[in-house]
Amino acid sequence: MLTKEKQKLRLQALEWALCALGVLAVSLSLALARVETCDYVSVNGDFQSYNVFRRILAGQTPYVDFANYVGMAPVVLNLPLVALNNSFANSLFVTNFTAALLFSVTVLLVFWLVARSRPAALLAAVFFVKFCSSGLLGTLLGARLGGYLTGLFESLYTPSNSMRIARLFLPFLLAGAALVWLKARRCGLEGDALQQALARRAPCLVWGLAAGLGVSWSNDFGLACLFCLTVLFVLVQALRLWEGWRALAARLGIYLAGALGGAAVSACLASGGHPLAYLRFTRDVGGWQYFYFNGTGGRAMLLYLLETPRLWAFGLPA
């Protein structure tokens, strides 16, 4: 006879299995719908994504033989499936499939971390993408607000401009890894085990390595994630674990050493052992990708944030 603990574990395993099947089914339906009407429009980022795949499969090296401005995230997440059938149509299928899949995982993590409810997170992971993509969101909320939110979420559960959801998935990947780490150590989310661990030097080094390794994940979100993780690290040390300036300097030094080491390893892996080529490319990207900086000659201006119509959508959660 099964004990209550074993019954609970089996029920949880069944819930995870059903969630995985549901997410896969929704992702597959969206991917099939995209290739059913393959329009070969190249200006929305589809060909830019495939261009990276076809060049790597032809034996070329990113940042050395061609300009890989989207970063390594689309490569890591999509290339194995694209390699099964090296064609533009299959690239469309794979990128749409993984985009919906990653968005579902992102929704799951956000619900789990914010609502602290695993069942609610599992249900949201399955139904939220379908709710948005089916048009129900627009119908229930009206043409103005519903259409606005539908367009906002559509930029995430579809590849949009060069696999946007893959490029911004890095912080959610790290959050998921932290959840797995806490689960393995049998630590609850309500506790401060993760923060207290950062009083030791080894976790500070690991945090730095994780932040640095993500630099080549994408040429936009990789550096942004490194910046945010550094700010979070300093805040935890200063507000939660304050033991004087000397302790802060020592831990911050260890963290920065790990971040620099991780960034160096990341650049080497991304460029096939040519980190200087990666640095040159990253430095010059603003000069030719004028639309990214709104024609400012390669200068990123924080004031553009104030001109973003959807700023409130990011300000409220912050």
Side-chain angles (χ1 to χ4, degrees), residues 216-294:
S216 67
W217 180 266
S218 72
N219 291 327
D220 39 18
F221 291 98
L223 289 174
C225 192
L226 172 61
F227 173 78
C228 292
L229 286 173
T230 303
V231 171
L232 286 173
F233 180 85
V234 172
L235 289 176
V236 169
Q237 295 295 338
L239 301 181
R240 298 296 183 99
L241 301 171
W242 180 252
E243 295 179 2
W245 290 104
R246 182 174 297 181
L248 174 62
R251 294 169 187 169
L252 184 59
I254 293 171
Y255 166 82
L256 292 177
L260 290 174
V265 172
S266 180
C268 286
L269 292 174
S271 59
H274 298 81
L276 293 180
Y278 173 82
L279 290 175
R280 284 193 299 269
F281 171 83
T282 305
R283 180 196 64 192
D284 297 336
V285 66
W288 58 268
Q289 202 174 3
Y290 62 91
F291 52 86
Y292 189 81
F293 294 104
N294 291 352

Side-chain angles (χ1 to χ4, degrees), residues 137-186:
L137 179 65
T139 301
L140 293 177
L141 297 181
R144 187 172 182 179
L145 182 59
Y148 172 79
L149 291 176
T150 298
L152 177 64
F153 290 120
E154 188 176 5
S155 297
L156 297 177
Y157 67 77
T158 62
S160 187
N161 294 323
S162 304
M163 285 299 295
R164 181 179 299 165
I165 186 63
R167 297 185 349 247
L168 63 81
F169 186 68
L170 178 59
F172 300 100
L173 176 65
L174 294 175
L179 286 174
V180 172
W181 184 83
L182 289 170
K183 181 70 174 179
R185 292 177 59 89
R186 299 181 182 276

